[in-house]
Amino acid sequence: MEKIISKNPSAVAEGFAAWLAERIVPGKAFHLALSGGSTPKILFAHLAEHYQNKISWADLHLWWGDERCVPPDHADSNYRMTKELLIDHVGIPSENVHRVIGEADPTEEAQRYGAEIDRIIPQKVGLAAFDLIMLGMGSDGHTASIFPHQMELLESKETCVVATHPESGQIRVSLSGPVINNADAVAFLVTGTSKTEKVEAIFSGSEESKIYPAAHIAPRGELFWFLDEAASA
């Protein structure tokens, strides 16, 4: 596990953007699963402004690590946020944008999206192997849309699963734990003081951390934590 600490969320986004650009090799497909959240908003805007001609966008395939089950124009849609801040401003071919159909039946869509992932993304050890999965972490220790009350999703045999937000009841489609842990690389982007205690528990390997889904992300490939000073304090 490698930790990269930057001063604030903007610096985290800038550092991650430069790191990401180096990993995308022109002429080779790169499968990236995105996350939602405040830091990705900063990241996507930064990429659109500063990396239009520095990344081989035609080789990049965008997927979503999780999505709210809402239409693509809904304010809660991770796809909408990404489209408005990034996709509309760079040269990503439309066929390379693989959105979760949030307006569809959640169970059917989890199966459909999982089948699309399995069909397109190369497999390693019998599972789809993303080149990179971006993750955030909630103040409750959840990641993607795997929450502490649904720890079984960390071991699901399905590529995608249906998850429920514990407070709002909102239904979501998420990558399962085994698929996340089969990625060539996983990168957490975590910022803010609300995450400090969880970060400390996870890094120390405390008994408390076992109830946090984020603590169970231990990919077959590389693991990176991009943190700001507040989260890493």
Side-chain angles (χ1 to χ4, degrees):
M1 178 174 65
E2 183 174 347
K3 292 174 278 187
I4 301 95
I5 301 173
S6 302
K7 184 173 181 59
N8 53 44
S10 292
V12 170
E14 292 171 12
F16 179 82
W19 178 85
L20 172 65
E22 292 180 355
R23 297 183 76 94
I24 300 172
V25 179
K28 181 181 179 181
F30 190 92
H31 294 279
L32 169 63
L34 303 172
S35 67
S38 57
T39 306
K41 284 184 178 180
I42 301 171
L43 169 67
F44 298 155
H46 182 78
L47 287 169
E49 182 177 357
H50 298 284
Y51 284 84
Q52 286 192 22
N53 301 312
K54 296 180 181 179
I55 286 177
S56 180
W57 296 106
D59 296 309
L60 186 62
H61 285 255
L62 296 183
W63 305 81
W64 277 263
D66 68 319
E67 179 60 284
R68 288 80 177 263
C69 291
V70 296
D73 59 352
H74 194 282
D76 288 346
S77 170
N78 286 335
Y79 166 78
R80 174 183 170 176
M81 184 261 282
T82 311
K83 181 177 186 298
E84 291 179 348
L85 294 177
L86 179 63
I87 296 170
D88 287 348
H89 305 284
V90 296
I92 301 177
S94 59
E95 62 269 22
N96 287 15
V97 177
H98 307 272
R99 83 172 180 96
V100 177
I101 302 175
E103 64 272 31
D105 175 82
T107 300
E108 293 179 0
E109 178 56 15
Q111 295 173 348
R112 186 207 67 81
Y113 200 59
E116 183 176 355
I117 289 170
D118 292 340
R119 184 177 70 254
I120 295 175
I121 296 179
Q123 297 203 352
K124 296 179 181 178
V125 296
L127 290 171
F130 283 88
D131 292 290
L132 174 62
I133 296 178
M134 283 174 51
L135 293 175
M137 182 181 70
S139 56
D140 60 354
H142 86 265
T143 193
S145 278
I146 302 178
F147 295 92
H149 74 292
Q150 290 185 306
M151 297 292 280
E152 69 274 9
L153 301 183
L154 288 165
E155 300 179 357
S156 173
K157 295 182 179 180
E158 303 297 328
T159 299
C160 292
V161 293
V162 177
T164 305
H165 190 282
E167 296 176 2
S168 68
Q170 185 184 60
I171 306 299
R172 304 179 179 188
V173 171
S174 175
L175 293 178
S176 67
V179 171
I180 294 173
N181 278 329
N182 198 48
D184 289 342
V186 171
F188 279 92
L189 277 68
V190 178
T191 61
T193 55
S194 67
K195 316 294 176 62
T196 308
E197 290 185 5
K198 300 297 187 296
V199 167
E200 180 182 5
I202 291 170
F203 285 171
S204 67
S206 71
E207 188 68 22
E208 174 194 359
S209 71
K210 294 180 180 179
I211 66 172
Y212 308 142
H216 295 266
I217 303 306
R220 173 185 53 79
E222 302 171 287
L223 176 61
F224 300 87
W225 284 75
F226 288 81
L227 304 156
D228 71 349
E229 291 180 356
S232 63

